[in-house]
Amino acid sequence: GSLAWLVKQSSRPFWAVLGRLPNTTYYRNVRTYKDAQRLPGILIFRFDAALHFANKDYFCEVLAQRELRYGSGAQTLPGALTLDMVGNTDSAIPVFPLLFLVIDASSITTLDAAG
């Protein structure tokens, strides 16, 4: 039980897309803070774990999925939900071409050669 949970958490850790809280300089998870505003054309991505050989592929997969969603140029329906690879839902927003990718690495405490 505990070992399986540890392996799962280590290989598929939590991540978040960040948005700015109105009238502040604070950026928070857009799924948790409903008033956090995503910036058009900018993807701010936070990976909440050390980056190492066991989760580097997951990091790349999730980041590529987010980049495709933000960079596709397609429009989504307001209020629609999408489901990601680990079952997280997040409200669909109009999609703008991706201009900048910002990786918030404040939660990446260690990085090995494979990461």
Side-chain angles (χ1 to χ4, degrees):
S2 296
L3 183 57
W5 178 84
L6 181 62
V7 169
K8 181 181 181 277
Q9 288 299 108
S10 178
S11 64
R12 299 179 72 79
F14 185 79
W15 56 268
V17 171
L18 305 181
R20 194 173 91 184
L21 294 178
N23 303 314
T24 72
T25 58
Y26 298 113
Y27 289 80
R28 298 290 185 260
N29 181 343
V30 297
R31 288 183 296 232
T32 306
Y33 293 83
K34 299 303 179 194
D35 57 339
Q37 300 170 351
R38 298 177 190 175
L39 305 174
I42 301 173
L43 171 59
I44 304 173
F45 180 80
R46 186 183 71 216
F47 194 68
D48 290 341
L51 187 54
H52 51 75
F53 72 96
N55 64 17
K56 71 176 179 61
D57 291 336
Y58 178 69
F59 174 85
C60 292
E61 288 170 15
V62 171
L63 190 55
Q65 179 189 38
R66 295 291 97 184
E67 287 178 307
L68 284 174
R69 176 157 185 251
Y70 278 78
S72 68
Q75 296 295 311
T76 59
L77 297 174
L81 292 176
T82 58
L83 187 64
D84 67 26
M85 293 181 282
V86 292
N88 297 317
T89 60
D90 85 286
S91 297
I93 60 166
V95 178
F96 298 90
L98 182 62
L99 301 174
F100 298 99
L101 170 64
V102 177
I103 297 176
D104 176 353
S106 61
S107 296
I108 300 176
T109 56
T110 58
L111 180 68
D112 73 7

